[in-house]
Amino acid sequence: MKKIFLLIALLCSVFAAFPVFAVDNAVLRGRITDTQNQPLPGATISIPDLRISAIAAADGTFKFSQVPTRGTALVQVSYIGYQTITRTINFSSPGDLDFVLKASVIEGREVVITGTASSSDNRKNSTSVTTVSKDDLLYRPSTNLMDALSRVPGVSQVTTGPAISKPVIRGLSYNRVVTLNNGVKQQGQQWGDEHGVEIDQYSADRVEILRGPASLMYGSDALGGVINILDALPAPEGTLRGEFLTNYATNNGMTGNSLMLQGNENGLVYKVRGSYKNAYSYKTPTEYVPNSGFNETNFEGQIGLNKKWGYAHLDASSFRTHIGFYDPERNEDGQLVNEDGEPFTKSENKDRTLAYPQQDIRHYKIALNSNILLGEGSLKATLGYQHNLRRELEEPGEDPALFLNSYTYSYDLKYSFKNFNGWSPVIGVSGEFMHSLNTTGEEQLIPDFDSRTFGAFAFVKKTWDKSTFNAGARIDYRKMTGKEFEGEESNFGAFSNQFTRVSGALGYTYEFNDALSFKANAGSAFRAPNIAELASNGVHEGAFRYEIGNANLKPEQSFQFDASFDYQNQYVSASLGGFANIINNYIYYRADGETIEAQNKQYPVYRFVQDDAFLRGVEAMLTLHPVHYLHFENSFSYTRATNRATKESLPFIPAATLRNELRFEPEVRGTKHSYISVGIDNFFKQNKVDSFEQSSSGYTLLNAAVGTTLKLSKKQDITLYVAGKNLLNKAYYDHLSRFKPGRLSEEEPTLGIYNQGRNVTFGVTLPFTIKN
């Protein structure tokens, strides 16, 4: 801990002194208009690589006063009802900075992608990336961040009730998907079935979802893809503003509130946010699920500098949640009962005070992000410290039954060279050290361990008139050392696992015209076995099984190719893509009917094994907007995964999904952005399962929403919305639900708990400006 604070203090002192020898600053001015030369007041212009933005004035003009006099950067200009555009500017000779936007009934979408080697227009980025906006995150019913992202084609979730969701990208999850927050790779306990992602969903301004291997940028664990959660840009200079969010869900009484305040005084930026969520037990179409409530308290803050030499931001956050758990048991009448065999009362199910067992999860994080003009290029750096504590509590006042406690220190450095002749080279290094203590609880599942990683990469992109080519290579070293431990019920032998791997990627994009583009990407990736796969030896309480690891497991090696076509004009937006992913040494667990007695109970034994695998699939989207007030959105995704050795299906692969939504957007006097939507989500039958899995039936869910933004005064808006999910109260099992039959009990394979029933969410968003 002392080392990370010393390093942060050193870098802050360097940044504070930087203006002494940095480049001069300049004022950047321009104007934003439509094709009729009419100003577009309120249009947003941003420079993501400098973390600055500005809002067009009444006459369409804008100004940046903290920009360098040399270097290049990508600028994005957006306005509702118009096509978003990007332009690369050279600060030494910015030239004409007047931007002309074309009207479009297709909603403007985020086109600058930052989670790659260098920020780029998505049309020139060969990786398959989808951006989810803050509006999508807020105004669609969801109980956590990953639940909200699961509507993206190719993305689904492993759920443990409404409180816990783990992202699945193209059939891959757990440690195969990297989650980034404030540039730092989230390190909690991703290997666990019932371990969620410790991030405040209200803090996300947008999320970039990279589908496919991304080891070139992020090393091990990015074999399946990346969830890149991005905070909002700092407030424009001279501005003090904030927002208040609140919502209520009828199914489990979930209340969520979040208050944020941010400011920018002459390049000194700051932000604070506090959020709180609370819910009682959720209800399926047939019953309440006892002790499935949760509460969550989050705080975060930021302070930093946006200056002529770049930016440096220090972020700190505290995440804490309590989640109730229930070991399902039914009586002869089919009712869920407590330890005494008595059914739960309505008052118990609506009690917001959690019973036992429960999880107490805490995650503390500090991150220093910077992008400094250095020489003819720029150096982007991220330093991170994380402390994750996960306690499994059986009874009040007792020591934790299971206590997972990890400390993670990380760094990531990227240097972007000056562009020349369309060439954009980037080099980088990254590393991580994790110290994990896991044997202080009454029960043990994994041993104490230390993990060290180091990686270095080189990347280059070449841009022609309509074509873009990119290539990169990376070398990684990882070492994991497990500590010996002897307990009453679990024993762990000491081990040391280390390897060196090389990965690479090739990509190509071609823009046929303003509407049609093509992208293709081929890459290799890898994933080191996690600690549970290597060394687990104990009861995994929340998963209702006994897990046994294998210290001889080899790293997974992936070779993937994907390609897609994208088309967008004023009335139609469409994309069609496919992927093929060959994974050697794919790691999974297998149950062969073996059981073991532990804690006076019989548990099924799950052993980690590996074989070669093949995953492939298609993803498609079609949005029709024939007139400005009608919006018809459709998406489809399908993933098929097989074991190349046994010819059987791989376990826990999501079912094919077809989503349709019709949205009516009327013009109502005194309001803006009004909408009424009706959606149908079709989940197909999943019978391509492993031998120990059960098939899942198909089902259809009806959703609807209505919302509007009211003008309270000349400068004050308020947004109101109501969103309903599963309005017909359909009883169904999602194939990846951990509560579906076959996953709760080996003794009772028919024992299952349906997914959440009808849920209607009421929400209010109140942005406000104190100083402008």
Side-chain angles (χ1 to χ4, degrees):
M1 185 70 175
K2 291 182 179 179
K3 292 180 181 178
I4 196 76
F5 279 120
L6 286 173
L7 187 55
I8 288 174
L10 176 62
L11 284 173
C12 286
S13 64
V14 171
F15 296 148
F18 224 96
V20 175
F21 52 88
V23 296
D24 295 330
N25 68 308
V27 175
L28 199 64
R29 303 177 186 271
R31 187 166 184 257
I32 305 172
T33 63
D34 62 15
T35 54
Q36 305 301 315
N37 201 33
Q38 295 300 307
L40 295 177
T44 300
I45 178 170
S46 61
I47 308 178
D49 282 340
L50 296 180
R51 298 288 291 171
I52 57 177
S53 64
I55 304 297
D59 60 354
T61 60
F62 64 87
K63 181 180 75 172
F64 291 107
S65 58
Q66 295 286 347
V67 295
T69 56
R70 58 178 170 80
T72 60
L74 191 65
V75 174
Q76 176 173 279
V77 183
S78 59
Y79 191 64
I80 293 177
Y82 291 79
Q83 292 181 4
T84 299
I85 63 173
T86 63
R87 183 190 303 176
T88 299
I89 63 170
N90 188 326
F91 291 112
S92 61
S93 55
D96 181 13
L97 283 185
D98 290 344
F99 295 90
V100 179
L101 302 187
K102 296 179 181 179
S104 174
V105 293
I106 291 286
E107 284 81 357
R109 57 185 181 183
E110 202 83 24
V111 297
V112 174
I113 302 302
T114 62
T116 50
S118 58
S119 296
S120 65
D121 188 317
N122 199 12
R123 284 165 57 92
K124 299 182 183 299
N125 172 56
S126 64
T127 309
S128 180
V129 181
T130 297
T131 300
V132 181
S133 69
K134 189 178 186 70
D135 287 347
D136 289 332
L137 294 173
L138 287 177
Y139 306 145
R140 298 182 187 274
S142 61
T143 56
N144 58 69
L145 180 59
M146 296 307 159
D147 181 34
L149 299 180
S150 64
R151 295 186 61 85
V152 174
V155 180
S156 47
Q157 57 179 329
V158 177
T159 62
T160 304
I164 299 175
S165 295
K166 301 182 73 67
V168 180
I169 299 180
R170 293 177 172 175
L172 301 176
S173 185
Y174 303 94
N175 284 87
R176 299 182 181 94
V177 174
V178 165
T179 300
L180 292 177
N181 186 219
N182 288 327
V184 177
K185 183 188 293 187
Q186 188 80 4
Q187 289 291 15
Q189 311 289 344
Q190 294 96 320
W191 49 268
D193 284 64
E194 78 288 11
H195 301 171
V197 179
E198 304 89 350
I199 294 174
D200 179 6
Q201 74 176 98
Y202 299 124
S203 68
D205 181 67
R206 63 190 180 95
V207 181
E208 296 174 354
I209 302 175
L210 287 72
R211 298 188 295 269
S215 287
L216 175 65
M217 287 293 299
Y218 302 108
S220 178
D221 297 356
L223 184 142
V226 175
I227 306 289
N228 186 20
I229 302 168
L230 299 168
D231 201 358
L233 294 179
E237 190 171 339
T239 301
L240 179 61
R241 67 185 184 187
E243 68 177 7
F244 173 69
L245 312 172
T246 183
N247 53 47
Y248 173 80
T250 59
N251 182 278
N252 57 351
M254 191 193 83
T255 60
N257 301 280
S258 184
L259 178 64
M260 183 274 291
L261 185 68
Q262 65 174 177
N264 184 340
E265 296 293 337
N266 194 31
L268 173 64
V269 301
Y270 53 90
K271 183 187 69 173
V272 292
R273 179 186 290 274
S275 302
Y276 180 73
K277 292 164 65 175
N278 184 283
Y280 51 74
S281 297
Y282 78 95
K283 188 178 183 181
T284 75
T286 60
E287 62 193 347
Y288 280 98
V289 181
N291 199 34
S292 59
F294 63 93
N295 58 71
E296 182 182 306
T297 305
N298 304 309
F299 296 101
E300 64 178 40
Q302 179 187 85
I303 188 167
L305 295 173
N306 281 16
K307 293 294 185 179
K308 54 192 177 183
W309 40 263
Y311 70 84
H313 296 163
L314 182 64
D315 297 274
S317 63
S318 168
F319 176 100
R320 183 173 182 180
T321 185
H322 288 86
I323 303 173
F325 277 85
Y326 171 64
D327 193 351
E329 185 176 346
R330 296 189 186 276
N331 60 18
E332 294 180 354
D333 296 326
Q335 298 172 304
L336 293 171
V337 296
N338 59 24
E339 294 178 348
D340 299 324
E342 298 295 327
F344 290 84
T345 65
K346 186 175 182 179
S347 61
E348 287 177 318
N349 287 323
K350 289 198 172 185
D351 190 347
R352 294 180 183 269
T353 302
L354 299 181
Y356 288 82
Q358 61 177 255
Q359 284 187 353
D360 177 2
I361 304 162
R362 309 178 194 191
H363 193 89
Y364 306 102
K365 181 162 54 180
I366 300 173
L368 179 63
N369 290 279
S370 63
N371 191 7
I372 308 300
L373 293 176
L374 194 62
E376 294 295 321
S378 63
L379 176 65
K380 185 175 290 188
T382 301
L383 302 176
Y385 164 77
Q386 299 174 76
H387 185 194
N388 183 271
L389 303 100
R390 184 176 300 270
R391 297 177 175 91
E392 307 282 350
L393 306 173
E394 296 290 342
E395 296 292 342
E398 293 186 358
D399 292 334
L402 188 69
F403 187 12
L404 308 177
N405 183 10
S406 67
Y407 302 82
T408 305
Y409 307 83
S410 61
Y411 62 89
D412 185 85
L413 307 173
K414 300 184 186 72
Y415 185 78
S416 300
F417 292 89
K418 179 182 179 181
N419 294 353
F420 61 95
N421 255 357
W423 292 91
S424 305
V426 181
I427 58 173
V429 295
S430 62
E432 181 182 89
F433 170 72
M434 179 185 292
H435 177 57
S436 187
L437 304 171
N438 311 289
T439 56
T440 57
E442 295 179 356
E443 305 164 5
Q444 291 78 41
L445 175 61
I446 58 175
D448 299 343
F449 70 93
D450 291 333
S451 174
R452 292 176 174 84
T453 64
F454 172 79
F457 78 91
F459 172 89
V460 64
K461 181 168 69 174
K462 168 63 175 175
T463 302
W464 291 274
D465 181 31
K466 295 185 177 182
S467 299
T468 301
F469 171 80
N470 62 75
R474 180 184 180 103
I475 184 169
D476 278 274
Y477 169 80
R478 167 168 285 202
K479 180 178 181 179
M480 183 177 290
T481 303
K483 310 296 179 64
E484 184 178 6
F485 176 83
E486 292 187 8
E488 293 183 5
E489 295 194 12
S490 296
N491 296 312
F492 304 105
F495 73 91
S496 180
N497 178 289
Q498 59 182 320
F499 69 91
T500 301
R501 283 291 184 274
V502 175
S503 56
L506 294 172
Y508 176 74
T509 68
Y510 185 79
E511 299 175 64
F512 296 93
N513 48 48
D514 289 341
L516 181 63
S517 62
F518 169 78
K519 62 174 60 180
N521 193 76
S524 64
F526 69 97
R527 183 184 74 87
N530 63 48
I531 185 63
E533 294 164 340
L534 290 169
S536 59
N537 184 23
V539 177
H540 196 162
E541 292 283 1
F544 315 109
R545 60 177 180 253
Y546 194 101
E547 295 182 357
I548 299 178
N550 181 356
N552 297 317
L553 293 174
K554 301 176 182 178
E556 297 176 338
Q557 187 73 46
S558 165
F559 302 93
Q560 176 169 297
F561 174 80
D562 62 67
S564 66
F565 286 92
D566 291 271
Y567 180 84
Q568 179 171 317
N569 63 17
Q570 188 176 358
Y571 304 104
V572 177
S573 177
S575 66
L576 176 63
F579 70 92
N581 191 3
I582 295 173
I583 304 178
N584 295 331
N585 299 317
Y586 180 85
I587 301 170
Y588 62 104
Y589 45 66
R590 174 173 289 166
D592 295 321
E594 179 186 1
T595 62
I596 191 170
E597 184 176 348
Q599 304 169 14
N600 300 317
K601 185 178 179 180
Q602 288 293 124
Y603 285 91
V605 174
Y606 282 66
R607 296 180 181 273
F608 287 97
V609 297
Q610 57 188 166
D611 280 315
D612 296 337
F614 179 42
L615 293 87
R616 60 278 192 198
V618 295
E619 296 150 2
M621 290 187 67
L622 174 64
T623 299
L624 304 176
H625 216 329
V627 290
H628 73 277
Y629 55 81
L630 201 61
H631 177 99
F632 187 37
E633 183 175 309
N634 311 270
S635 67
F636 175 76
S637 59
Y638 169 76
T639 297
R640 177 79 172 95
T642 52
N643 185 319
R644 287 153 50 203
T646 65
K647 308 305 179 183
E648 295 181 348
S649 296
L650 291 180
F652 312 127
I653 300 300
T657 307
L658 173 66
R659 299 181 188 269
N660 313 99
E661 181 183 40
L662 180 64
R663 190 160 70 246
F664 177 57
E665 301 170 338
E667 293 183 1
V668 181
R669 187 174 181 179
T671 71
K672 58 182 180 180
H673 315 320
S674 300
Y675 64 90
I676 301 172
S677 72
V678 177
I680 295 176
D681 294 341
N682 299 280
F683 294 82
F684 293 83
K685 180 179 180 179
Q686 177 58 293
N687 54 13
K688 305 295 185 181
V689 297
D690 201 344
S691 56
F692 68 88
E693 279 188 287
Q694 290 191 22
S695 298
S696 299
S697 301
Y699 55 93
T700 299
L701 305 180
L702 177 65
N703 311 310
V706 58
T708 189
T709 298
L710 303 176
K711 200 81 171 174
L712 298 182
S713 66
K714 186 176 180 180
K715 296 184 177 181
Q716 183 60 62
D717 294 341
I718 184 172
T719 297
L720 311 173
Y721 65 91
V722 180
K725 187 175 182 179
N726 190 11
L727 290 177
L728 299 181
N729 210 28
K730 173 70 175 180
Y732 70 96
Y733 297 111
D734 183 275
H735 186 67
L736 297 186
S737 169
R738 293 188 50 255
F739 291 161
K740 70 183 290 286
R743 299 195 68 178
L744 283 178
S745 173
E746 291 286 325
E747 300 171 352
E748 298 181 60
T750 60
L751 177 62
I753 297 176
Y754 289 121
N755 283 75
Q756 193 173 40
R758 182 186 298 113
N759 189 27
V760 180
T761 301
F762 300 84
V764 178
T765 303
L766 181 69
F768 55 89
T769 300
I770 300 175
K771 177 185 176 182
N772 191 355

